[in-house]
């Protein structure tokens, strides 16, 4: 199961969420109170292996930047969720 990560407030805040729907709901709920309107969305991209072959943790890759200050962005997110 792919896990998602959201970073915001200049990277000072981060949350791990189960799926993209949860990410969008979280961004819409927290966005108006966040210090920054910019949210970086990462998806889990596999496991990191250390030089000796042992597991070294998870790796995430940036898949989207959501900026709630961008005109129409909130409506786009709501539309994707199917809410008005």
């Amino acid at each position: 199961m792919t896990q998602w990560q959201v970073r915001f407030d200049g990277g000072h805040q981060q949350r791990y969420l189960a799926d993209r729907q949860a990410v969008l709901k979280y961004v819409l709920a927290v966005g108006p109170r966040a210090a920054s309107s910019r949210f970086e969305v990462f998806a889990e991209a596999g496991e990191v292996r250390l030089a000796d072959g042992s597991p070294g943790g998870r790796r995430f890759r940036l898949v989207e930047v959501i900026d709630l200050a961008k005109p129409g962005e909130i409506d786009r997110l709501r539309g994707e969720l199917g809410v008005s």
Side-chain angles (χ1 to χ4, degrees):
M1 177 171 102
T2 300
Q3 191 170 23
W4 295 73
Q5 180 188 50
V6 178
R7 294 183 198 165
F8 57 104
D9 288 348
H12 296 287
Q13 299 279 343
Q14 65 181 3
R15 298 293 181 273
Y16 292 92
L17 299 158
D19 55 33
R20 179 163 172 74
Q21 301 298 329
V23 167
L24 299 181
K25 288 177 185 177
Y26 185 82
V27 168
L28 287 172
V30 172
R33 298 183 307 276
S36 172
S37 63
R38 188 174 192 269
F39 292 79
E40 296 173 336
V41 180
F42 295 80
E44 194 167 3
E47 196 175 270
V48 173
R49 289 282 173 190
L50 300 178
D52 66 0
S54 63
R58 296 178 293 177
R59 177 178 40 198
F60 288 82
R61 64 179 170 82
L62 180 66
V63 294
E64 180 179 15
V65 174
I66 297 171
D67 189 345
L68 296 179
K70 181 179 169 186
E73 190 72 349
I74 292 173
D75 292 333
R76 181 185 73 81
L77 299 179
R78 287 182 178 148
E80 188 173 330
L81 285 170
V83 296
S84 37

